Amino acid sequence: MARGKKRKAGSAPEDAGENGVAEQPSTTTEQPSKKPDKKGKAALFKAPEASEVLEIAKTRNLYKSNLFRLQLEELLKEFCQRAIPRLETVLKSLRSVLLEKLQCREIQADFAAEFPELQFHQRGGPSPSPLAFAPPTRVDVVGSFLLNTSLKDALEVDLSLEMPRELFRSKDYLNFRYHDKRAAYIGEVKRQLSKGLLKGVEDLAGLDVEFEALQGDCMRPCVAIRPRRDNADGSDDHWTVRLLPTYSLELWPERMLSPERNALRPEKSGDAEDVGSATAAPVPTALYNSLVLEDGRMRIHLEMLHKVLSQFPAMRDAVMLLKRWALASGFLAQASGSRCVFTPMNGFALSFLAAHAGLTSNVAPAQTSSFQLFKLALSMLVSTDWASQKVIFGKEGTAALSAAEAQACSAHFYDADGSLNVFWRLAPFIDEVRWEAQRALKILDAVADPFEDVFGRRVLPELVWDLVVRTPQLSTRALCPDLFTGSASGNNGAVSSSRLPADSPEAYAWCQQLRTVLLAGLTDRCLRVAIRLVGEPGMRWRSKVPATGVAVMVGLVLDPTNLDRALDRGPSSQDQVAAEQFRALWGAAKSELRRFKDGSILECVVWSKPPPGRKVESRKQPAVVTQIVRHLVAQHLPKPLAQDTDVVTGPLGMVANLEERERRLWATFETFRTHLCQLSSLPLTIKDIHPVDASFSYMDPLPTLAPPAASGSDGGLRRNLHHVVVEFESSGRWPDDPTAAQKVAGALLLQIREELGSDLGIEADATETFLDVRYPEAVFRLQVFHPHELRETANKVTNLRPPTGGPPPCEQAVARLRDLWWRPRLRASLRGHVLQRPAMAGAARLCKRWMASQMLSGYEEFVEHLVAYVFLHPSPFEAPTSPQVAFCRFCWLLENFDWQREPLVLDLDGKLTEAERMSLRESFERQQGAQKATSSLSLWVATRFDPHAMLIRSPTATLVTWLRRRAQQALGTCGKRLLGGSTATDWRMVFQLDTAAFDLCLRLLPLPDDPHANQVEESAGKSTKKKKGGRAADKLAAAQLVSREAAQKLVHGLRKQLSPVCLVLYDEQNQLLGIKWRPSAFLPQGPNVLMGSTSYTVVAQKGGDGKAPLIVPNVLCLLSNVASLAQGLALDAQVLGSK
């Protein structure tokens, strides 16, 4: 009870002051020995009041935890709208100017000639008469500013200018006449404000006046007024005032713009094949009608929302939570900038949704919290079947759609009068909105701390979508409702179908068309489809309207288990209706009839299966899913649009996750395991045989070549080398001395070689520490693991309790524990996860390839841990289903994880308890406390097998900043490519590195598949032509076989000798080595540095005797050491720092 009382005091300071508990400090310096007052102590332990019990129950039942409740409270505090004195002054002065100082004038009938900076429909030609411009009848503040529900960093204040009724005729709501007059009116307002009206008012000086496309539609311009950037003197000047023309509700009867009425006529009867001929009945234009009604109902809707907010005290916070959720889900654009990703969802629709949820909740307004209203609004989104039901504001339940309403739109949420559909823009996006709402509700009910998953994430395309289809930028009219003409038809007929409204905007029509055909064509290959608009949601201009509008982007989340299927079976040929639909989807040229073994004759489509073993998807050999998407785009979009539509599949494209090479390796390994277990001459029984290499978990991007056999029996045969550990059953015959135990292990290896050669005829080469067993397709390097040998080291390294005192374990013993115990168990666990999540293997190979391109080879286990974390702990996202998405999550994790304050704990088997996690955190905090003196940042990754991060090799503190900066750049490049800000060749920028950052670069001997392999031949003076006998090729292959192992030894030697003065980085895949001098190491130092192995120069100080000489590194000797270590291995050396 006392704990609950303290929580209440922390959340409500005013109540705490009345009780006199929270205001008193726990300790005081004036009276340290004073005993607590009996009255205060009694108040502390008294029974809680009814209100306190209710608060505790609400926290437990609604919020699940105190932490989540506090997070929401802090989030809502951030949204508090600050008072901006200058903005209030500007609004008052601007209202006076608009009502009193705008001059009446006559605007010529040809609006396009009068305002060349605007666009007009002018259907049927110019207006028959001039427009008599006059000041607005009234000016009102509308939107979220008065409701105090603005979420944007840059505050936007909307002013509605009610245009005089005398400007319009009784039929001006038809054929965009109203919109043409509206654009001319706002054009004249902008002209007069720009020509001196603002300059004459002191409070309005220093303001810029521009046109803005309202909700991205350039055909609905408004005026945006904001402070000039050169005059902005503080954060308070980040605001914009928008002038929105409106009309009086009494101007036209509401029934003339009801959803079932037609208000658009085609410009020519021959251009509207989809909406009927001139003699046919006009089709309803519900979307166009809603567009007109929006302008006339701004003030009424504001009054309606204000009334609900007054009734529900928590409504404002509920609206803020909804907006934050929509922003985190990617529905709202974060800022008004170029190439944003957004949907037409806006704050007004979310406010309407929250108000409706409050009115129909049947809960007392005073007892309803903001979080309850938030969940009620999400529940309404999920429970409504938008394809067949509609919602009316303030009325409980849903109503069935009529046939005309179902044809008009896919999402119906009407205001209280039932005339304006608030959700008309969300029709193509409503399925994804509903899916995100369902996901949020599921997380809120199942997770104790759901804040990051629901409100904290940021849905970027590169972090979510496996494949992206992006059209070129459409026209500036793409978001304006209009009747489709013959130009909006695909190669398979008109885009308008029974599911598309007749007056659907062009962008929304392509959204719906692409979504429908991709879902129908990909079938079980596709898990989810998401649609976004790419562009600037609030385009602004002064004298020339933008040339292009938004682009349509469709993101696909794919199922990796079904991507490689090359045959898609359709309906039976006897089902004529289904067969015709199948042929309409794929085209008559692609669809074909096939007879199967069971006698069935089905419509089918066949795709070319790319060759196995490829590393990168090419345009000539695309993946099956890429072929399907490109065919559907070409089949169902107009040819000019389809040719410029881009299909983006990631840096490497869609390649196989589980390669056939590793599948064959496991078959060979099982044979090898069987042979070892059948050996009868061994004195001890084999307990298990553990694979070690990354190839066993399908994660090795570059296999290691085995050295040639000592007997020379290989004959030029190239086989891969794979490390394996054999573990014998425990026995008292093992010696206690570690050295003696290693000798016994060597004797066992000799016995294994003896019996394999004599009984099975398998060749093997033995050394003191390992045995190379040669099979036709692989060479297994066998080592013996004895637990008793490393028991003392394992107790210090693998004990979940943080180590306390004592000397650190020996480095050599830790290395043996890493090779013989940790890596085998890590490999077995990773393989189990890869078989369940195939994309994990491809992601690990891609991330290792990227790390190598950044000169950071040698951290393979670190990469595997982070990739596994991305899949096993994907919060706040869903688990990735493709390597490219996992790679972007890998970069995102490197950049955004709080490495300094949080340990990254990877639960490989899902069995870590809270107590064990607390032990890992204690170990992390102890290590971080030791590093505070150096202010260095380390990447601390722990698992059950390595609880104190002593076995995993992570990048050093010096490389952490470099790595995180490169990850940020790679993630930005991927996002830019998806949004169309770059070309396909810019994928190379993800893997390219400017070597000018290094002081010395060495090009080492290439690997066999290295494109630089011809340099070896040229340096040796050999011809590239084949020679009889192949002796030159054998010598070249032998040099390449040892190059990788020798390069690793070179890197280790350079790091051991030169680590005090430089960083040694290595790209294993391209055999490139870079050296970066440490600037601080070349400053004069004391004689104590001479204790190391680095060469130094001793410089005597001026000023006489008694002064110790200064020590500086000898660069010439350092370069000489590098040259001697790299002798015979380096093809080229370049001192970049000398340029």
Side-chain angles (χ1 to χ4, degrees):
M1 292 182 182
R3 288 195 298 270
K5 192 175 186 65
K6 289 182 181 179
R7 283 196 296 268
K8 185 175 185 295
S11 61
E14 64 276 7
D15 296 337
E18 294 176 1
N19 295 332
V21 178
E23 293 179 353
Q24 297 180 1
S26 57
T27 59
T28 59
T29 57
E30 292 80 9
Q31 297 176 350
S33 60
K34 184 178 180 179
K35 296 181 180 180
D37 186 16
K38 293 183 178 181
K39 294 183 179 181
K41 187 175 181 181
L44 181 64
F45 291 99
K46 73 176 183 179
E49 300 174 358
S51 59
E52 295 174 336
V53 174
L54 288 176
E55 287 294 322
I56 296 174
K58 182 187 294 185
T59 300
R60 183 187 301 112
N61 300 328
L62 183 60
Y63 295 94
K64 302 295 184 183
S65 68
N66 277 331
L67 176 61
F68 181 50
R69 183 172 186 175
L70 292 175
Q71 287 172 329
L72 290 182
E73 291 174 356
E74 290 299 321
L75 178 66
L76 293 173
K77 288 180 183 178
E78 295 178 4
F79 296 151
C80 292
Q81 189 171 300
R82 295 181 303 162
I84 305 177
R86 188 190 178 190
L87 178 58
E88 299 288 344
T89 304
V90 167
L91 291 177
K92 294 178 181 178
S93 302
L94 186 60
R95 184 177 185 276
S96 176
V97 168
L98 293 173
L99 290 174
E100 301 172 4
K101 295 188 178 182
L102 287 177
Q103 302 296 321
C104 299
R105 65 177 297 266
E106 190 175 86
I107 302 175
Q108 61 175 325
D110 191 356
F111 297 152
E114 181 75 15
F115 301 101
E117 67 273 18
L118 296 176
Q119 288 183 335
F120 298 89
H121 295 275
Q122 292 188 326
R123 183 152 302 178
S127 177
S129 61
L131 180 68
F133 176 83
T137 306
R138 59 184 298 170
V139 177
D140 298 290
V141 179
V142 295
S144 60
F145 178 72
L146 284 183
L147 301 177
N148 198 17
T149 58
S150 180
L151 184 63
K152 299 179 181 178
D153 295 334
L155 184 63
E156 289 186 352
V157 183
D158 294 337
L159 293 182
S160 67
L161 314 183
E162 185 175 308
M163 296 177 285
R165 299 181 59 179
E166 294 77 12
L167 271 62
F168 302 99
R169 299 184 179 183
S170 60
K171 297 294 185 181
D172 276 353
Y173 63 87
L174 297 173
N175 294 335
F176 296 106
R177 296 175 194 166
Y178 161 75
H179 292 90
D180 287 343
K181 291 186 177 182
R182 176 191 182 280
Y185 188 90
I186 202 64
E188 181 61 26
V189 171
K190 192 260 183 184
R191 176 186 294 176
Q192 294 193 28
L193 292 178
S194 302
K195 284 188 175 181
L197 284 183
L198 295 183
K199 296 179 181 178
V201 182
E202 182 180 357
D203 294 335
L204 302 180
L207 300 179
D208 275 337
V209 183
E210 298 175 299
F211 287 114
E212 179 179 325
L214 186 59
Q215 294 180 338
D217 186 3
C218 292
M219 308 306 296
R220 295 181 68 210
C222 65
V223 171
I225 302 174
R226 56 179 179 172
R228 293 175 186 167
R229 295 181 179 179
D230 53 352
N231 292 338
D233 54 358
S235 59
D236 290 346
D237 283 337
H238 297 295
W239 49 264
T240 303
V241 178
R242 299 192 303 177
L243 308 182
L244 311 179
T246 62
Y247 64 90
S248 174
L249 280 179
E250 293 79 15
L251 185 59
W252 298 303
E254 290 184 1
R255 59 182 177 80
M256 306 304 296
L257 292 170
S258 60
E260 66 275 4
R261 298 297 293 264
N262 174 276
L264 276 180
R265 309 289 191 269
E267 193 167 0
K268 294 182 181 179
S269 59
D271 291 344
E273 300 174 2
D274 298 326
V275 296
S277 61
T279 59
V283 295
T285 55
L287 306 187
Y288 173 84
N289 299 350
S290 296
L291 185 68
V292 177
L293 287 172
E294 281 182 347
D295 286 351
R297 292 180 166 266
M298 291 184 183
R299 185 163 50 86
I300 291 182
H301 288 157
L302 175 66
E303 295 173 355
M304 186 186 306
L305 292 175
H306 184 268
K307 181 180 179 181
V308 177
L309 261 68
S310 302
Q311 182 179 355
F312 289 83
M315 182 60 66
R316 174 201 167 270
D317 291 343
V319 173
M320 304 302 291
L321 291 179
L322 273 177
K323 290 185 177 182
R324 177 67 184 213
W325 165 77
L327 181 66
S329 302
F331 298 134
L332 300 179
Q334 287 198 346
S336 181
S338 60
R339 309 203 75 80
C340 292
V341 180
F342 63 99
T343 66
M345 179 179 285
N346 52 41
F348 166 68
L350 294 173
S351 302
F352 229 66
L353 179 66
H356 173 76
L359 292 175
T360 59
S361 61
N362 294 325
V363 180
Q367 299 178 359
T368 306
S369 67
S370 59
F371 186 60
Q372 282 178 301
L373 292 173
F374 169 74
K375 294 185 68 175
L376 288 172
L378 294 185
S379 300
M380 196 204 79
L381 285 173
V382 174
S383 61
T384 304
D385 183 8
W386 299 98
S388 60
Q389 296 175 338
K390 65 180 178 181
V391 178
I392 300 177
F393 182 81
K395 295 185 179 180
E396 296 184 22
T398 59
L401 294 176
S402 63
E405 289 175 332
Q407 173 63 29
C409 189
S410 301
H412 296 262
F413 183 19
Y414 292 96
D415 58 4
D417 298 333
S419 55
L420 173 61
N421 182 9
V422 179
F423 274 14
W424 72 268
R425 288 186 178 90
L426 296 179
F429 310 88
I430 193 63
D431 289 336
E432 188 188 359
V433 173
R434 187 180 181 187
W435 185 89
E436 287 287 352
Q438 187 174 10
R439 172 187 178 274
L441 287 176
K442 182 179 178 181
I443 291 175
L444 291 173
D445 293 337
V447 181
D449 182 15
F451 182 82
E452 288 295 329
D453 291 0
V454 178
F455 300 105
R457 66 175 184 157
R458 184 186 178 196
V459 178
L460 299 176
E462 60 269 22
L463 297 177
V464 181
W465 300 337
D466 303 324
L467 186 145
V468 170
V469 181
R470 190 192 63 255
T471 67
Q473 288 182 288
L474 305 175
S475 67
T476 53
R477 304 189 179 197
L479 295 179
C480 181
D482 200 354
L483 298 178
F484 270 105
T485 62
S487 60
S489 59
N491 300 334
N492 195 36
V495 68
S496 181
S497 65
S498 59
R499 293 180 295 273
L500 286 178
D503 59 339
S504 178
E506 181 186 3
Y508 299 169
W510 296 134
C511 288
Q512 187 66 33
Q513 180 79 343
L514 286 172
R515 183 181 185 278
T516 301
V517 299
L518 289 175
L519 279 175
L522 292 172
T523 60
D524 58 350
R525 295 183 181 89
C526 182
L527 299 176
R528 189 163 59 92
V529 176
I531 307 173
R532 293 291 186 273
L533 301 176
V534 182
E536 188 176 353
M539 292 180 288
R540 292 174 181 171
W541 69 96
R542 294 178 183 272
S543 59
K544 186 178 180 180
V545 70
T548 57
V550 298
V552 172
M553 184 166 64
V554 180
L556 304 177
V557 180
L558 304 174
D559 185 356
T561 59
N562 301 319
L563 294 182
D564 298 330
R565 187 178 65 245
L567 175 65
D568 285 336
R569 301 188 182 188
S572 172
S573 59
Q574 297 179 355
D575 190 348
Q576 296 184 358
V577 177
E580 289 180 1
Q581 294 177 352
F582 188 84
R583 287 191 293 269
L585 175 65
W586 298 109
K590 189 65 178 177
S591 178
E592 60 184 38
L593 284 174
R594 285 202 170 194
R595 182 188 294 272
F596 294 90
K597 293 182 180 180
D598 58 357
S600 60
I601 301 177
L602 305 178
E603 294 280 352
C604 300
V605 288
V606 184
W607 309 100
S608 300
K609 200 164 187 177
R614 61 187 184 137
K615 302 297 183 183
V616 180
E617 180 184 6
S618 64
R619 183 168 288 273
K620 293 183 179 180
Q621 294 178 339
V624 172
V625 65
T626 307
Q627 298 176 48
I628 295 174
V629 172
R630 288 177 179 171
H631 176 80
L632 292 173
V633 168
Q635 182 71 17
H636 294 276
L637 292 187
K639 189 173 182 179
L641 187 63
Q643 289 177 345
D644 295 333
T645 297
D646 197 4
V647 179
V648 187
T649 56
L652 303 182
M654 307 298 294
V655 296
N657 292 310
L658 306 182
E659 297 184 354
E660 188 63 27
R661 173 171 57 99
E662 279 80 6
R663 298 178 187 272
R664 296 197 307 268
L665 171 63
W666 268 98
T668 306
F669 174 73
E670 292 298 334
T671 303
F672 171 60
R673 188 204 297 267
T674 303
H675 289 164
L676 286 185
C677 294
Q678 291 176 351
L679 299 180
S680 58
S681 62
L682 296 177
L684 298 175
T685 304
I686 293 177
K687 180 180 179 181
D688 202 354
I689 302 171
H690 306 283
V692 178
D693 280 353
S695 297
F696 289 100
S697 59
Y698 307 89
M699 292 181 173
D700 195 356
L702 189 65
T704 304
L705 289 177
S711 61
S713 60
D714 287 343
L717 179 63
R718 296 167 54 185
R719 290 175 286 194
N720 294 331
L721 180 66
H722 305 283
H723 292 261
V724 177
V725 172
V726 58
E727 182 179 354
F728 290 93
E729 290 186 349
S730 60
S731 173
R733 290 181 289 179
W734 282 94
D736 295 333
D737 183 44
T739 304
Q742 295 178 18
K743 296 294 184 181
V744 172
L748 291 174
L749 293 177
L750 291 176
Q751 184 64 31
I752 292 174
R753 185 192 67 170
E754 192 82 22
E755 188 169 353
L756 285 176
S758 60
D759 295 352
L760 301 176
I762 298 176
E763 183 181 5
D765 297 329
T767 67
E768 291 185 0
T769 56
F770 62 83
L771 176 69
D772 284 351
V773 183
R774 302 184 179 277
Y775 282 80
E777 293 188 357
V779 176
F780 296 105
R781 177 160 292 180
L782 186 66
Q783 292 179 282
V784 177
F785 169 64
H786 175 47
H788 184 71
E789 174 192 352
L790 302 171
R791 182 174 301 169
E792 182 178 352
T793 304
N795 289 335
K796 295 182 179 180
V797 175
T798 63
N799 192 351
L800 287 174
R801 294 182 179 179
T804 56
C810 174
E811 293 185 5
Q812 184 178 2
V814 171
R816 286 186 59 81
L817 184 68
R818 180 188 298 116
D819 294 336
L820 301 181
W821 181 84
W822 178 66
R823 282 176 175 163
R825 278 146 186 81
L826 174 65
R827 193 61 52 210
S829 180
L830 290 178
R831 180 177 181 262
H833 290 299
V834 164
L835 295 180
Q836 298 177 9
R837 305 167 181 86
M840 184 187 293
R845 295 196 300 268
L846 178 58
C847 294
K848 289 180 181 180
R849 184 171 181 176
W850 177 79
M851 287 282 287
S853 68
Q854 308 306 309
M855 306 287 288
L856 291 173
S857 295
Y859 302 105
E860 280 72 19
E861 285 87 4
F862 170 77
V863 174
E864 292 171 357
H865 278 68
L866 260 63
V867 170
Y869 188 88
V870 164
F871 280 85
L872 301 181
H873 308 282
S875 176
F877 309 98
E878 301 295 317
T881 55
S882 69
Q884 53 268 26
V885 170
F887 167 70
C888 292
R889 301 265 190 93
F890 171 85
C891 296
W892 182 84
L893 182 64
L894 278 173
E895 178 190 358
N896 294 279
F897 189 80
D898 190 1
W899 298 100
Q900 192 167 5
R901 297 180 179 87
E902 293 293 329
L904 192 142
V905 179
L906 174 60
D907 192 0
L908 288 170
D909 52 7
K911 297 180 180 179
L912 280 177
T913 63
E914 290 300 324
E916 292 172 343
R917 290 180 180 272
M918 185 60 65
S919 299
L920 299 184
R921 172 172 284 277
E922 291 177 4
S923 177
F924 165 76
E925 292 175 351
R926 181 177 287 106
Q927 181 179 353
Q928 291 299 107
Q931 293 180 352
K932 281 185 178 180
T934 59
S935 300
S936 58
L937 178 63
S938 62
L939 306 181
W940 202 86
V941 183
T943 61
R944 176 186 293 276
F945 304 130
D946 185 18
H948 311 298
M950 301 175 67
L951 298 174
I952 187 173
R953 290 175 177 170
S954 303
T956 60
T958 311
L959 298 176
V960 170
T961 303
W962 162 271
L963 177 60
R964 299 181 72 184
R965 186 167 60 247
R966 298 300 300 173
Q968 181 183 14
Q969 183 177 358
L971 187 62
T973 302
C974 293
K976 184 178 179 182
R977 176 68 182 92
L978 292 183
L979 298 185
S982 59
T983 60
T985 57
D986 286 344
W987 282 126
R988 301 177 184 175
M989 298 298 297
V990 177
F991 300 95
Q992 283 183 349
L993 180 66
D994 186 8
T995 56
F998 299 96
D999 298 303
L1000 177 64
C1001 283
L1002 299 177
R1003 167 70 66 180
L1004 306 181
L1005 285 174
L1007 297 178
D1009 297 330
D1010 197 331
H1012 301 280
N1014 56 353
Q1015 298 179 7
V1016 182
E1017 301 180 3
E1018 295 173 0
S1019 63
K1022 300 176 182 178
S1023 173
T1024 57
K1025 298 182 179 179
K1026 292 183 180 180
K1027 298 182 178 181
K1028 296 181 179 180
R1031 297 184 61 186
D1034 293 342
K1035 293 182 179 179
L1036 176 62
Q1040 293 170 345
L1041 286 173
V1042 300
S1043 63
R1044 185 175 184 181
E1045 184 177 356
Q1048 293 175 350
K1049 292 182 178 180
L1050 171 64
V1051 173
H1052 178 72
L1054 290 175
R1055 288 175 177 171
K1056 185 177 181 180
Q1057 292 193 16
L1058 306 179
S1059 59
V1061 296
C1062 70
L1063 292 175
V1064 180
L1065 304 181
Y1066 176 47
D1067 180 358
E1068 187 179 35
Q1069 298 187 12
N1070 294 316
Q1071 292 292 77
L1072 186 65
L1073 189 147
I1075 293 178
K1076 178 68 176 177
W1077 304 119
R1078 300 179 187 270
S1080 59
F1082 287 84
L1083 298 175
Q1085 303 179 50
N1088 57 334
V1089 299
L1090 295 175
M1091 301 297 293
S1093 60
T1094 308
S1095 300
Y1096 290 92
T1097 299
V1098 180
V1099 181
Q1101 296 192 55
K1102 295 181 181 181
D1105 301 335
K1107 291 186 178 181
L1110 298 179
I1111 312 299
V1112 294
N1114 192 322
V1115 178
L1116 294 179
C1117 292
L1118 293 177
L1119 294 178
S1120 177
N1121 292 340
V1122 173
S1124 61
L1125 289 174
Q1127 185 177 4
L1129 296 176
L1131 295 173
D1132 181 35
Q1134 188 177 12
V1135 183
L1136 300 176
S1138 63
K1139 293 184 178 180

